[in-house]
Amino acid sequence: MSQTTPPILPEPTLRRLPWYLAYVERLLAQGIDHVSSTSISKALNVDASRIAKDLSFLNLKGKTRIGYEVKALAESLSDFLGFKAEHKAVVFGAGNLGRALILDKGLANYGLQLVGAVDIDPAIAGMVVEGVEIFAPSSLPMLMQKEKPAVAILTVPAEVAQEVADSAIKAGFTAIWNFSPYRVKVPDHIALANTSIYAHLALIYNRLAAAPVKN
Amino acid sequence: MSQTTPPILPEPTLRRLPWYLAYVERLLAQGIDHVSSTSISKALNVDASRIAKDLSFLNLKGKTRIGYEVKALAESLSDFLGFKAEHKAVVFGAGNLGRALILDKGLANYGLQLVGAVDIDPAIAGMVVEGVEIFAPSSLPMLMQKEKPAVAILTVPAEVAQEVADSAIKAGFTAIWNFSPYRVKVPDHIALANTSIYAHLALIYNRLAAAPVKN
């Protein structure tokens, strides 16, 4: 079968597919060969019918009467989600969070290659963190031409997130991964994920305060 | 008014409230005094009626005919979301992502105080990263008794995420902040946030592949 443009998937499906991948990779590590939608359903608290529908987007070959073949499902999911391809990215803002992401080797396992970082602080331009060089903003056109990165990772302060997103798009980035709490807006043709890790604390704090555990 | 148990808020509201906070903090930095729901609506692409409803959960005093008082709204949001209180947390898994979170000072700005990390690797037990000590699992009861942390931050491999969550809850943690891609299950009375940053890459990759930008 020839490679075709993948369908635009609903966001909830794109949230769930990595759960299935993490689950079947765990089964794989345990030496389990086959898994049914029902088992995945029980383990992850997701309706079996929903799982079947989500997985129908993949062109699966390993489905048998005793369920999905674990190894084929893991590979198919990883491939379908783009985790096996190489996507070049630049980190904007080499402060604490930016450097933390550079230090986190996990990104490389999910297909993201950091080809540089950009920071307005002249004191850190030229520094190299874990093999990733920090550039002054004036070096961005050179970096774009040399590496052709697609993904701009924003770890700048919330106050400047929109401006940095705008300039990244102008420079040629086609995807914005925004880690600032500020919800940036981008044109329709630009891929966007808003990942404010701090916002998740609001959920935890609310649940902690609203439903204190009786000891 | 006396302090009462806050209501259990819907998750979508808890996702949006931090956006409003980031927005009004930006206005505050720009010296702007008042803001209307309409302005917030335009800036963040959220319906004005939804914003008004979300903000109705707060006991706001700064609402006038010309809109919300920016400073009062920022303080009220930050307070309501629990970002001004101190919540003690322990990082489980002091690998790349765990250390990255320890290095990220941003968490402290959102009310999270890291009182320690736990790792099964005996080679790193006893190490101190940015003032945060890494303990062997056997030291957890001591750490619980001394610090009484509520939030267990999971940065362990996906394969062991559920086991580590189970043992953290058994040890007395009442909230699980799961950074592994594995979707852990917890009892109803335990606060839970699943924050798989890598899963967001699936969204970016899908949008990039499905809708390539014409140059």
Side-chain angles (χ1 to χ4, degrees), chain A residues 137-168:
Chain A
S138 60
S139 298
L140 187 57
M142 175 278 298
L143 190 60
M144 296 303 295
Q145 197 170 23
K146 190 180 159 208
E147 300 282 359
K148 298 189 175 44
V151 184
I153 303 178
L154 306 193
T155 56
V156 294
E159 299 80 51
V160 298
Q162 186 63 59
E163 289 100 298
V164 174
D166 292 345
S167 63

Side-chain angles (χ1 to χ4, degrees), chain A residues 129-140:
Chain A
V129 179
E130 286 282 311
V132 176
E133 185 170 350
I134 302 171
F135 295 94
S138 60
S139 298
L140 187 57

Side-chain angles (χ1 to χ4, degrees), chain A residues 7 9 19 26 42 44 87 104 110-111 163 174 177 181-183 185 195 197-198 200 205-208, chain B residues 7 9 26 42 44 87 104 110-111 163 174 177 181-183 185 195 197-198 200 205-208:
Chain A
L9 298 192
W19 297 343
R26 187 187 178 199
K42 275 186 195 157
L44 303 180
H87 306 81
D104 177 20
Y110 289 86
E163 289 100 298
T174 50
W177 193 8
Y182 189 80
R183 199 186 184 210
K185 288 199 292 186
T195 306
I197 63 170
Y198 310 127
H200 288 206
Y205 295 162
N206 178 257
R207 297 297 186 261
L208 274 177
Chain B
L9 297 191
R26 187 187 179 202
K42 274 186 196 158
L44 303 179
H87 306 80
D104 177 19
Y110 290 86
E163 289 100 299
T174 50
W177 193 8
Y182 189 81
R183 199 188 184 208
K185 287 199 291 186
T195 305
I197 64 170
Y198 310 128
H200 287 205
Y205 295 162
N206 178 257
R207 297 297 186 260
L208 274 177

Side-chain angles (χ1 to χ4, degrees), chain B residues 55-133:
Chain B
L55 292 180
S56 73
F57 288 106
L58 284 72
N59 181 31
L60 283 176
K61 298 203 180 78
K63 182 88 193 280
T64 68
R65 266 176 311 156
I66 52 169
Y68 299 98
E69 208 188 304
V70 169
K71 191 160 183 247
L73 182 53
E75 279 177 9
S76 183
L77 275 166
S78 181
D79 192 36
F80 185 78
L81 290 171
F83 293 161
K84 287 176 163 181
E86 190 184 78
H87 306 80
K88 291 187 176 179
V90 170
V91 173
F92 285 79
N96 285 311
L97 182 56
R99 290 184 201 208
L101 287 176
I102 293 171
L103 292 173
D104 177 19
K105 298 285 188 305
L107 293 172
N109 296 334
Y110 290 86
L112 202 73
Q113 189 204 351
L114 301 183
V115 296
V118 170
D119 201 286
I120 54 164
D121 183 356
I124 61 171
M127 276 179 57
V128 177
V129 179
E130 287 282 312
V132 176
E133 185 168 351

Side-chain angles (χ1 to χ4, degrees), chain A residues 3-212:
Chain A
Q3 186 75 19
T4 51
T5 302
I8 294 186
L9 298 192
E11 281 200 39
T13 298
L14 286 168
R15 266 202 301 274
R16 287 188 298 264
L17 289 174
W19 297 343
Y20 309 154
L21 175 60
Y23 179 65
V24 294
E25 282 182 338
R26 187 187 178 199
L27 298 181
L28 199 60
Q30 292 168 344
I32 294 167
D33 285 336
H34 288 82
V35 64
S36 63
S37 308
T38 319
S39 301
I40 305 178
S41 170
K42 275 186 195 157
L44 303 180
N45 260 347
V46 177
D47 278 354
S49 60
R50 177 161 285 172
I51 293 170
K53 204 181 163 200
D54 286 341
L55 293 179
S56 72
F57 287 107
L58 284 72
N59 181 32
L60 283 175
K61 298 203 180 75
K63 181 87 193 277
T64 67
R65 266 178 311 159
I66 51 168
Y68 299 99
E69 208 189 303
V70 169
K71 191 160 181 244
L73 182 54
E75 279 176 11
S76 182
L77 275 167
S78 181
D79 192 37
F80 185 78
L81 290 171
F83 293 161
K84 287 176 163 181
E86 190 185 76
H87 306 81
K88 291 187 177 179
V90 171
V91 173
F92 285 79
N96 285 312
L97 182 56
R99 290 185 200 206
L101 287 175
I102 292 170
L103 293 173
D104 177 20
K105 298 286 189 305
L107 292 172
N109 296 335
Y110 289 86
L112 202 72
Q113 189 204 350
L114 300 184
V115 297
V118 171
D119 201 287
I120 54 164
D121 183 357
I124 61 171
M127 275 178 58
V128 177
V129 179
E130 286 282 311
V132 176
E133 185 170 350
I134 302 171
F135 295 94
S138 60
S139 298
L140 187 57
M142 175 278 298
L143 190 60
M144 296 303 295
Q145 197 170 23
K146 190 180 159 208
E147 300 282 359
K148 298 189 175 44
V151 184
I153 303 178
L154 306 193
T155 56
V156 294
E159 299 80 51
V160 298
Q162 186 63 59
E163 289 100 298
V164 174
D166 292 345
S167 63
I169 293 164
K170 210 173 159 190
F173 287 90
T174 50
I176 300 289
W177 193 8
N178 174 32
F179 280 84
S180 92
Y182 189 80
R183 199 186 184 210
V184 301
K185 288 199 292 186
V186 300
D188 283 344
H189 65 282
I190 301 293
L192 171 70
N194 282 301
T195 306
S196 172
I197 63 170
Y198 310 127
H200 288 206
L201 280 171
L203 174 65
I204 290 177
Y205 295 162
N206 178 257
R207 297 297 186 261
L208 274 177

Side-chain angles (χ1 to χ4, degrees), chain B residues 3 18 30 38 46 60 64 74 108 117 133 142 163 172 182 189 196 211:
Chain B
Q3 187 74 21
Q30 292 168 345
T38 320
V46 177
L60 283 176
T64 68
E133 185 168 351
M142 176 278 298
E163 289 100 299
Y182 189 81
H189 64 282
S196 171

